[in-house]
Amino acid sequence: ALAAAPRPATLGGARLLAAGRLAPGWLLVIREESRMAPPVPARVGAVWDGRFRLSRAAEPGCAIGALGADAARLRAASPLPAAVLRTLPAIRRAGELRAVPHLDAGRGGAFALGFRPAWPVAGSPFAPAGAPRTGGVRKPLAPGMCDGA
């Protein structure tokens, strides 16, 4: 029924929603916010939410968790819908947003965070900061976003 008449739904920790302006007539598959894991210490080798593995960490005392409500501060930095932004991994230290590696925001280049789900639905449309990009949009940080200084 869902395939015949696509509509927003949830399934096994994933959220299906209309892709809108990104791909009219298509569905996005994103992580259901209520099912995401709590933050974990940002150490090399750490895995957050069973999907994102940290392979380079430049700041001690940081944690990886969902971008969540801080997504509103980064709307100008990405064409992605707010529902997607809220589920991206973010690096914080003492509660302060330090980086969003998949958006190359803040000190994003100081951290290497790869998309490594155990059972991927599809390949990742994101490239880690510093990797060549084939279609992403890079914009300056939103006012008030930490720049690592």
Side-chain angles (χ1 to χ4, degrees):
L2 186 59
R7 63 187 179 283
T10 59
L11 177 66
R15 184 174 167 200
L16 307 172
L17 65 148
R21 72 185 187 292
L22 291 178
W26 287 76
L27 289 175
L28 290 175
V29 179
I30 65 171
R31 186 72 160 120
E32 191 176 348
E33 282 187 75
S34 65
R35 303 283 299 270
M36 291 189 304
V40 298
R43 295 187 197 110
V44 172
V47 176
W48 173 71
D49 200 39
R51 302 175 298 147
F52 296 97
R53 180 176 302 280
L54 190 66
S55 60
R56 182 177 66 235
E59 290 184 41
C62 289
I64 309 166
L67 181 57
D70 283 324
R73 296 169 52 196
L74 296 173
R75 288 290 296 141
S78 173
L80 295 172
V84 174
L85 292 175
R86 293 178 60 83
T87 65
L88 290 178
I91 310 291
R92 290 183 174 82
R93 186 172 61 195
E96 177 189 347
L97 185 62
R98 301 294 292 161
V100 183
H102 289 91
L103 297 179
D104 208 15
R107 299 208 50 219
F111 299 88
L113 193 61
F115 182 66
R116 304 282 184 267
W119 299 282
V121 171
S124 172
F126 305 106
R133 292 186 184 226
T134 58
V137 175
R138 291 186 185 215
K139 293 186 178 179
L141 298 175
M145 175 67 188
C146 121
D147 63 3

